[in-house]
Amino acid sequence: MTVTVLLFASYADALGEASLELDLAEDATVADVLAEVSRRPGAASLPPAPLIAVNQRYAARTARLRSGDEVALIPPVAGG
Amino acid sequence: MTVTVLLFASYADALGEASLELDLAEDATVADVLAEVSRRPGAASLPPAPLIAVNQRYAARTARLRSGDEVALIPPVAGG
Amino acid sequence: MSGAVQLVRDPIDPAALMARVARPAHGALILFLGVVRDVNDGRGVTGIEYSAYEGMAARELESIADEAVVRFVGADVAIEHRLGYLTLEDVSVGIAVAHAHRDEAYAASRWIIEEIKRRVPIWKREHYVDGSREWVDPSGAVSAELAQ
Amino acid sequence: MSGAVQLVRDPIDPAALMARVARPAHGALILFLGVVRDVNDGRGVTGIEYSAYEGMAARELESIADEAVVRFVGADVAIEHRLGYLTLEDVSVGIAVAHAHRDEAYAASRWIIEEIKRRVPIWKREHYVDGSREWVDPSGAVSAELAQ
């Protein structure tokens, strides 16, 4: 299955991209996405356990994914 | 000596006046003003120990007065 | 702090109040507005008449503003309290506080409105839908304290 | 609460924000403004670039407004957060809260700004007087909590 990974702010700068398409096994979880992303150039400067949202809701690393999901890596928020 | 007594809001309504001139002994205190005022018609509805200001500052009942002082009886405040 | 505090008879302008505290060093600005509302203690209100011991009220408001900038170092403060007859949704008091940080801005704003209600000689007479009117007495309990 | 909350690119209008929460039942109205200030952590700031995960940020802001009116019963709430490049003294976030009573109005206002800073996916990159710029990281400590 395929998921879209969104990167923002310092994370987008680190990887040089704002989004990625990943091909994953059918039973993939958020943790698998993080493992995939950590192999990309520039990923060394990301924290080991970044905050994650799946389809615009905060999600745990164990969350199961479905094809077409939008997985976002959320840098420390700084609104206000 | 002479002092001016100011009445406001419900106190002015009770006594039917917004100010009084009182003649007092030279060593008079705030308590003497209150005793004087309590003899006026309508004073029965005033509390026994109303809040007092002398020359626009809150003052105790024992405060000594000087001629020309402005003594105000302050009903419960309700600003804001 | 003179000029930061005023008793007014015309409507309070929130934007003007805020402009008086804005500075490039401030990261947080809080405006508190007290507003005439349609019900108090279960009775329908049509308006409120505000009166004051004006000289002393102005002095107490200034002393509150002065104390605020000592207690909450770095704050800028502007206060206006309106007098006269106000109808529903009219603003009776406006307090603008700005500070580098929001913690201090919130604390100062809250402290100022509580002090106003505690010690500024302003009174209100509520006018009710049934045509009656009454002086509001939030509590006589503070009297002893203010006279020490 | 749709319509009560917006991500905007144009300047925030505090008066319009307050008008959205005014009702005859409200006795207290509090406006909080977050403002770009000239110094942060000792460094001279010239401006801040705000960006967001827009869909999720809008959703989180709406959920904060919805939760606020449940937690603080009787409150009306309006929130705007600005995105894009802001210069000194520009307003980045405006929160208007009105309630019958000031206790609840202050509490709701404070709760809302803390929730925004805790969980709305908005980021800022500060631009400094020396020409450099940096993403602001208030703390990574909330991460574990939000992911449960």
Side-chain angles (χ1 to χ4, degrees):
Chain A
M1 67 176 180
T2 307
V3 302
T4 303
V5 177
L6 301 181
L7 301 160
F8 298 95
S10 57
Y11 294 180
D13 285 359
L15 274 79
E17 308 204 62
S19 72
L20 310 167
E21 297 291 321
L22 294 186
D23 268 319
L24 301 169
E26 285 309 304
D27 60 350
T29 64
V30 165
D32 296 315
V33 169
L34 292 175
E36 237 1 273
V37 169
S38 72
R39 285 191 281 273
R40 301 277 167 146
S45 64
L46 265 54
L51 195 54
I52 297 290
V54 176
N55 299 330
Q56 307 192 351
R57 294 179 191 277
Y58 288 107
R61 292 166 62 86
T62 53
R64 286 282 292 273
L65 299 174
R66 284 174 302 183
S67 195
D69 277 353
E70 182 177 287
V71 179
L73 277 65
I74 311 279
V77 304
Chain B
M1 68 176 178
T2 306
V3 302
T4 302
V5 177
L6 300 181
L7 301 161
F8 297 95
S10 57
Y11 295 180
D13 285 358
L15 274 80
E17 307 203 64
S19 73
L20 309 167
E21 297 291 321
L22 296 184
D23 268 320
L24 300 170
E26 285 309 305
D27 60 351
T29 64
V30 165
D32 296 316
V33 170
L34 293 175
E36 239 357 277
V37 170
S38 72
R39 284 192 281 273
R40 301 276 167 147
S45 65
L46 266 55
L51 195 54
I52 298 291
V54 175
N55 299 330
Q56 306 191 352
R57 294 179 190 277
Y58 288 107
R61 292 165 63 85
T62 51
R64 287 283 292 273
L65 299 173
R66 284 173 303 184
S67 196
D69 277 354
E70 180 177 289
V71 180
L73 276 65
I74 311 279
V77 304
Chain C
M1 289 299 300
S2 307
V5 167
Q6 282 184 299
L7 291 171
V8 297
R9 294 195 171 265
D10 293 325
I12 291 169
D13 177 353
L17 209 60
M18 291 192 281
R20 275 154 56 191
V21 300
R23 282 203 293 127
H26 293 322
L29 191 156
I30 292 169
L31 175 72
F32 172 86
L33 300 179
V35 187
V36 176
R37 72 172 190 274
D38 61 2
V39 173
N40 192 22
D41 279 339
R43 300 177 71 178
V45 172
T46 55
I48 301 182
E49 220 182 303
Y50 282 88
S51 59
Y53 181 8
E54 294 199 26
M56 182 173 171
R59 177 199 284 266
E60 287 290 326
L61 283 174
E62 288 211 12
S63 115
I64 290 168
D66 287 346
E67 286 175 50
V69 300
V70 171
R71 281 173 178 262
F72 306 95
V73 176
D76 280 291
V77 167
I79 307 172
E80 286 190 4
H81 200 299
R82 195 171 166 197
L83 300 178
Y85 185 77
L86 278 66
T87 57
L88 298 189
E89 300 198 50
D90 280 349
V91 173
S92 56
V93 61
I95 302 167
V97 177
H99 194 279
H101 305 291
R102 69 186 181 286
D103 273 357
E104 288 84 349
Y106 274 107
S109 175
R110 189 65 205 258
W111 183 83
I112 289 167
I113 183 62
E114 299 309 322
E115 286 299 299
I116 288 173
K117 288 180 175 280
R118 196 175 72 85
R119 61 173 159 124
V120 179
I122 295 177
W123 301 280
K124 54 187 176 194
R125 181 149 59 172
E126 288 182 338
H127 292 230
Y128 303 103
V129 290
D130 64 7
S132 64
R133 50 192 203 173
E134 233 169 73
W135 293 103
V136 175
D137 178 357
S139 151
V142 292
S143 303
E145 178 199 351
L146 287 172
Q148 295 150 54
Chain D
M1 287 301 297
S2 306
V5 166
Q6 282 183 297
L7 291 171
V8 298
R9 294 196 171 264
D10 295 323
I12 290 171
D13 177 352
L17 209 60
M18 290 192 281
R20 275 155 55 191
V21 300
R23 280 202 294 127
H26 294 320
L29 191 157
I30 293 169
L31 174 73
F32 173 86
L33 300 178
V35 186
V36 176
R37 69 171 192 274
D38 60 3
V39 174
N40 192 22
D41 280 339
R43 299 178 70 179
V45 172
T46 55
I48 302 180
E49 220 181 304
Y50 281 87
S51 59
Y53 181 7
E54 295 200 26
M56 182 173 171
R59 176 199 285 267
E60 287 291 327
L61 283 174
E62 288 210 11
S63 115
I64 289 168
D66 287 346
E67 286 175 50
V69 299
V70 171
R71 283 175 177 261
F72 307 95
V73 176
D76 279 291
V77 168
I79 308 172
E80 286 189 3
H81 200 300
R82 194 169 167 197
L83 300 177
Y85 186 78
L86 278 67
T87 57
L88 297 190
E89 300 198 50
D90 280 349
V91 173
S92 55
V93 61
I95 301 167
V97 176
H99 194 281
H101 305 291
R102 69 186 183 285
D103 273 356
E104 288 84 350
Y106 275 106
S109 175
R110 190 63 203 259
W111 183 82
I112 290 167
I113 183 62
E114 299 309 322
E115 285 300 297
I116 289 173
K117 288 181 175 278
R118 194 176 73 85
R119 61 172 159 126
V120 180
I122 295 176
W123 302 280
K124 54 187 176 193
R125 181 150 60 172
E126 288 182 338
H127 292 229
Y128 304 102
V129 291
D130 65 7
S132 65
R133 51 193 200 169
E134 232 168 73
W135 293 103
V136 175
D137 179 357
S139 151
V142 292
S143 302
E145 177 198 351
L146 286 173
Q148 297 149 56

